[in-house]
Amino acid sequence: MFRCWLPWLVIVGATVVVGGETFYYYPQLLDPAASHFNAQGQPDSWMPKEKFVGVMAGSWVVVLMFLAVPPLFMSRVPTTLINLPHKEYWLAPERVATTRQMLAQRITWCGAATMLLLAYSWHGTLQANLPPNPPLDIWTPLTVYLVFVGLWCAELIGRFARPSKSSEPPT
């Protein structure tokens, strides 16, 4: 049912890069490590580097589970838990499989974009904890991510806005 491999490649690639970067930079990290940054990218909270890496890794796993795993089970989610405009039309027996596939693909793309944002944040946080401690720049990637999410929402709403008599959900 699920054929879209590119967002999965992004998710797996981001995970491998983050893991490799953490393994490579861990011995060089400052102790304590800067764990929180203000709006200007300057650190304002620290923790032991072991705890810092543990919290970051745990956060990665939690976000991965919430964003990447659900699309895998989209075919098994009860229709009562799927909230769509014109739900009766889109989840009718003749369209439900295609609709679920399209939703799974769109959710996976959103998960891939979120994992890229987290990977960039992780990279910046690691760099900020290495000499010479550059400030963390999160505003540019956050802006790109928010534009993506806005377009993603608009596209998803547009797909389900009004069913026509002969329309099938595009894949």
Side-chain angles (χ1 to χ4, degrees), residues 5-53:
W5 58 269
L6 186 56
W8 288 105
L9 184 64
V10 170
I11 290 168
V12 170
T15 302
V16 168
V17 167
V18 162
E21 217 177 19
T22 303
F23 181 78
Y24 179 78
Y25 287 121
Y26 183 79
Q28 304 167 46
L29 289 177
L30 299 174
D31 197 9
S35 57
H36 189 270
F37 297 82
N38 63 22
Q40 290 75 40
Q42 300 300 322
D44 59 10
S45 184
W46 293 264
M47 65 175 60
K49 75 177 184 177
E50 296 84 12
K51 186 176 178 182
F52 165 75
V53 170

Side-chain angles (χ1 to χ4, degrees), residues 41-71:
Q42 300 300 322
D44 59 10
S45 184
W46 293 264
M47 65 175 60
K49 75 177 184 177
E50 296 84 12
K51 186 176 178 182
F52 165 75
V53 170
V55 167
M56 295 289 280
S59 300
W60 185 272
V61 170
V62 168
V63 172
L64 187 62
M65 298 309 283
F66 276 101
L67 294 175
V69 172

